[in-house]
Each structure stands twice: as structure tokens, then as C-alpha cells.
Amino acid sequence: MKILIVGSGGREHAIAWKVAQKDSVEKVYCAPGNGGTAVENKCENVNIEDINKLADFAAENNIDLTIVGPEVPLMNGIVDKFKSLGLKAFGPCADAAMLEGSKAYSKDFMKKYNVKTAAYEVFENKDEVLKYLKSCEYPTVIKADGLAAGKGVVICENYEQAEETVIEFMVNDIFKGSGKKLVVEEFLEGPEASILSITDGEIILPFISAKDHKQIFDGGKGPNTGGMGAICPNPYCTEEVLEAFKKDIMEPTLKGIKEEKLDFAGIIFFGVMITKKGPYLLEYNMRFGDPETQAVLPMMKSDLVDLILASLDKKLSSFDLAWNTGASCCVVAASAGYPGKYETGFEITGIDKTNRVFAAGVKYEDNTLKTSGGRVLCTEALGDTIEDAIERAYEDLKNINFNGIYYRKDIGRL
Ligand code: AMP
Ligand code: GLY
């Protein structure tokens, strides 16, 4: 089999590593991939990002399966394009990807199908939203409707901050169109969980739970990033929480997908907040999470390619999805200054002394691995307990060095 993976992050490196383990997989192309996939077993990077050119590549090279990592090509219809050419691609069609691409659409979907979520209002007019914000309770949550690279949600403590946020999003248009429509939402409190799942349109099969750490500094302080580390399973996801998640969130979502005819084979990643009143859905992501995938896939006992093929064949109901016991932890090493300005091009040393590294902002140049992004790489380790896994991931990370290396010291410590 030949597989094509679209994307260039740590998530895509983890997917490439996992699918390469299957004996019948002879080649894994990563488009564009990164310095980690450049040197991974069976992998080869191809420098293509345009959807039409990716489809041409898949057709010309007899690719058996394409797996799409990031949300932007999904929203731009990469799976629809591949399907129209008879090519096998795993991920939602553009209409289902809107469950991630538009917060207003996804909240309306949740409301219509009784998916448990925070109360909300949608606004497209500045004066109307400001009038509403004068009389609402604080804190309140303002969300840009469209994709905003993780910066589109602001928890406002008072009217002044809410007004400032509305001006930035709607008038100053800092997200270039994504903030023209706003969702104003009830503030919820509690630990968060990332529950990835796979669907074939007939059933949703949840994965083992995970928890990521979004803020840059220890103690959950500082600005949000793409994710500084993750653990799996999530200690807050008790049997009781998972039962409530299935009943109040997952099953109504499946009903909605069927009734709206959003038929697809892909990942649904539920961003959940576990409140005193049970789990509430914060958002859908219609793709693998990053860095959750780097912690979750090493825990997967089943073959990922077989799982994805079962999803594409609508045979998930008879698939025996198995997980390793124990726990997993991944810790991200970032460039100094990230998520603000940072420099790149520094040599990375010590990877050969580690057990497992997934690369993200890494390029392979002149036979050397160099930094090329904000989140550079993560070490990932399994353990009998979460404590073991955390300790091992940090032990490995001590071997890695590059100019300005920064990482949180408290991943997995809740
Ligand atoms: P979202 O993109 O909707 O997942 O929001 C990003 C982050 O903002 C979440 O991971 C939460 O930490 C926070 N957040 C979103 N919605 C709420 C809410 N209703 N109440 C409190 N925090 C929220
Ligand atoms: N870790 C959150 C995300 O992938 O969006």
C-alpha cells in the first residue's frame, strides 16, 4: 500500500509513524511533511500543498489512501476533490468541516440536536452585540465565528473588555473576515478534555481520552499556543463522565450528522468542559488534534490503517478498537519567544539519544535537523502510570538541545 499524509506538524509525523508500522504499507508520502518525516521509516516528503496538485500526485502515484491532517484543506474541499476523482481520502467533506469552520453553524447544530453546550447568541451587527453585552452576566465568552488560529476566543471579565473585543474582531477585522460574525456564550468552568473519535457516518467510535495544555507558561498562564503537551488518558474522564459524554454529546451529534446528511469517514474531536453539571461540548474539531495525536496514537493497539479503511467502508461497528494499558505523555519543546516572535534555523542535537520524538517545526537541511517553527518537536513516552509516562517524556527531553529551547515543566500535572 502507498499512503499520502497531508500536513506538516507533529500530528502528521505521529500519523506517518503509526501507519508505517503496517507491514503491507510500502511507502508513506508526506505533503509537505517536516524534518522528522523526512527521516522516518518508509516516509518521503513531497513539496506539494495545492489541493488539485495533491490529487494529481495521488492519481499519478497510485496512492491507496490519503489522510488529511489540518483543518484548512478540509474546509477547502480536499476530500470532495479526491472523492470526485475516485481517490480514497479520509476526512470530512467541506460541508461537515464547517462544524469546525463556523462556530455559529456548529452552535446552531448543537442546539438543533440537543447536544449539551453553553447557552449562546449569534450577532452580525456591532450595535446589537454591544447592547446585549451591556445587560449580560460576566464573565462572558466572545468567539469569532471563523477560523482564527486559536486566538478567536476571549473570556471577558467586564463590559469594557467585551467592547474592546467586539471592536477588534468586528471593526478592526483582525481575523480578516472570521470575526465579522460573533458568538457570545455563557461562561463555563471545569477541567477540559479532548475526546477524539472516528466516524463512518453510521456510528461514532470514541478514542481513549486526552488532555492538552494550551497556555505557554507553567500553571496554565500566559497566552494560548497550539498546545504545549498532552497526556492520555485524561484523569478527569471517569466512567461516569464518559457515559454522560456519550449520552449528552456523542449520540445527539451522530443523530445530527445523519439527519443533516453530513455523510463522511473521518475524525470528530470533541473539545469538552467537565463542569459540576457534567460534560458540556465547547467545540468540534473535524480532524486529529495536535498535540493530542502524539500522545493518543502510541496508546492505540489496533492498526490505524485498518481502522481508517473500516471507516471508509462503513464497517466501524464490527471493528474491535483496542488500546494499550497504562498512559502516555508528550511534551513540546518550542523556540524562545513562541507564540510571539521567534528565530529559526538552529541545529537540533540529541534526538538520537531519545526513545521517541515527533517533529513539527523541524527541517532537514545539509544532513542536519534544524528548527523551522514555533513548536519544534515533542518527546513522547508510555508508562505504566501517568506519572511514569511524564517522567520518561521529560527524561528524554533533557537530551534535546537547540538555541533557545523552551518547554513547560508541568505537563500532566493538573
Ligand atoms: P474553543 O475554540 O471554543 O474550544 O475555545 C478555546 C478555549 O476557550 C477552550 O479550550 C476553553 O479553554 C475556552 N472556552 C471556550 N468556551 C468557553 C466557555 N463557554 N466558558 C469558558 N471557557 C471557554
Ligand atoms: N489541541 C487542540 C487542537 O488540536 O485544536
Side-chain angles (χ1 to χ4, degrees):
M1 272 187 96
K2 288 193 216 165
I3 296 184
L4 171 64
I5 295 172
V6 177
S8 63
R11 161 183 56 201
E12 286 77 18
H13 187 182
I15 297 169
W17 164 83
K18 180 75 178 161
V19 300
Q21 287 167 23
K22 188 174 180 61
D23 287 342
S24 60
V25 170
E26 60 192 271
K27 188 97 192 169
V28 182
Y29 293 101
C30 301
N34 61 39
T37 55
V39 295
E40 184 67 56
N41 181 31
K42 301 184 189 173
C43 292
E44 181 180 328
N45 287 351
V46 284
N47 195 16
I48 311 175
E49 290 191 67
D50 175 82
I51 290 177
N52 293 319
K53 290 190 179 139
L54 284 167
D56 290 345
F57 177 87
E60 283 161 17
N61 292 279
N62 300 316
I63 299 294
D64 300 287
L65 170 65
T66 298
I67 304 169
V68 185
E71 60 275 23
V72 173
L74 291 168
M75 285 186 58
N76 289 340
I78 186 167
V79 173
D80 310 69
K81 174 75 191 178
F82 273 58
K83 268 191 178 170
S84 72
L85 298 172
L87 297 163
K88 227 174 222 187
F90 178 69
C93 321
D95 54 359
M98 283 301 282
L99 283 172
E100 172 168 1
S102 165
K103 298 240 185 244
Y105 171 72
S106 72
K107 291 292 290 190
D108 289 348
F109 175 96
M110 292 175 211
K111 189 171 171 186
K112 184 168 174 190
Y113 293 102
N114 281 319
V115 177
K116 194 162 162 185
T117 191
Y120 73 103
E121 298 283 339
V122 177
F123 297 94
E124 290 186 69
N125 176 291
K126 182 188 81 163
D127 297 331
E128 278 173 27
V129 68
L130 289 178
K131 189 172 157 208
Y132 176 83
L133 288 166
K134 274 197 174 124
S135 61
C136 77
E137 275 182 35
Y138 286 89
T140 197
V141 185
I142 300 183
K143 299 185 174 186
D145 176 55
L147 294 181
K151 299 197 176 93
V153 177
V154 181
I155 295 166
C156 301
E157 298 296 337
N158 49 44
Y159 176 77
E160 287 66 38
Q161 194 187 358
E163 184 182 26
E164 205 178 294
T165 303
V166 169
I167 303 289
E168 283 290 275
F169 284 19
M170 270 187 160
V171 182
N172 299 341
D173 196 18
I174 57 168
F175 300 128
K176 309 219 172 340
S178 281
K180 288 282 181 195
K181 197 189 270 190
L182 300 180
V183 172
V184 180
E185 190 173 288
E186 171 197 9
F187 174 74
L188 301 174
E189 275 178 295
E192 291 180 44
S194 300
I195 306 181
L196 278 71
S197 73
I198 186 166
T199 186
D200 56 3
E202 309 278 337
I203 68 158
I204 298 177
L205 206 53
F207 286 5
I208 192 167
S209 62
K211 175 166 180 30
D212 77 344
H213 295 262
K214 290 199 174 76
Q215 293 87 0
I216 184 76
F217 300 128
D218 285 10
K221 302 221 165 62
N224 271 353
T225 69
M228 294 303 291
I231 50 166
C232 164
N234 183 322
Y236 293 106
C237 287
T238 58
E239 280 298 314
E240 191 189 352
V241 165
L242 290 174
E243 278 313 306
F245 159 75
K246 283 182 193 162
K247 182 169 120 332
D248 298 334
I249 296 173
M250 197 183 91
E251 283 161 17
T253 296
L254 181 62
K255 184 166 187 276
I257 283 176
K258 285 183 178 170
E259 288 193 16
E260 299 291 318
K261 302 199 174 3
L262 298 174
D263 189 27
F264 69 96
I267 297 292
I268 308 178
F269 155 9
F270 297 88
V272 172
M273 190 174 270
I274 305 163
T275 74
K276 290 200 174 95
K277 290 196 273 174
Y280 278 65
L281 183 63
L282 293 179
E283 63 168 350
Y284 294 113
N285 293 305
M286 303 304 285
R287 51 172 173 80
F288 285 98
D290 191 331
E292 289 89 337
T293 302
Q294 293 91 306
V296 168
L297 288 185
M299 288 289 289
M300 188 183 277
K301 201 170 183 180
S302 305
D303 186 281
L304 179 62
V305 177
D306 289 346
L307 177 67
I308 288 176
L309 292 176
S311 156
L312 284 157
D313 291 342
K314 291 196 180 297
K315 288 192 177 139
L316 276 186
S317 59
S318 56
F319 193 90
D320 181 20
L321 179 54
W323 300 95
N324 294 316
T325 52
S328 164
C329 173
C330 71
V331 183
V332 171
S335 300
Y338 172 79
K341 276 200 182 139
Y342 55 83
E343 286 178 50
T344 60
F346 300 116
E347 185 177 346
I348 304 166
T349 58
I351 292 187
D352 51 328
K353 298 192 188 76
T354 62
N355 290 306
R356 191 151 50 232
V357 159
F358 294 122
V362 176
K363 65 180 170 186
Y364 187 59
E365 204 177 65
D366 309 327
N367 282 329
T368 313
L369 292 172
K370 294 181 183 166
T371 64
S372 66
R375 287 190 298 166
V376 175
L377 53 80
C378 72
T379 52
E380 184 280 333
L382 297 174
D384 290 340
T385 62
I386 295 232
E387 279 303 315
D388 283 347
I390 294 170
E391 205 172 299
R392 287 181 190 173
Y394 275 106
E395 271 305 307
D396 262 2
L397 198 49
K398 280 189 201 148
N399 294 304
I400 305 267
N401 205 11
F402 55 82
N403 192 328
I405 184 170
Y406 168 79
Y407 53 88
R408 275 180 67 160
K409 310 290 183 297
D410 66 344
I411 298 304
R413 318 238 180 249
L414 306 166

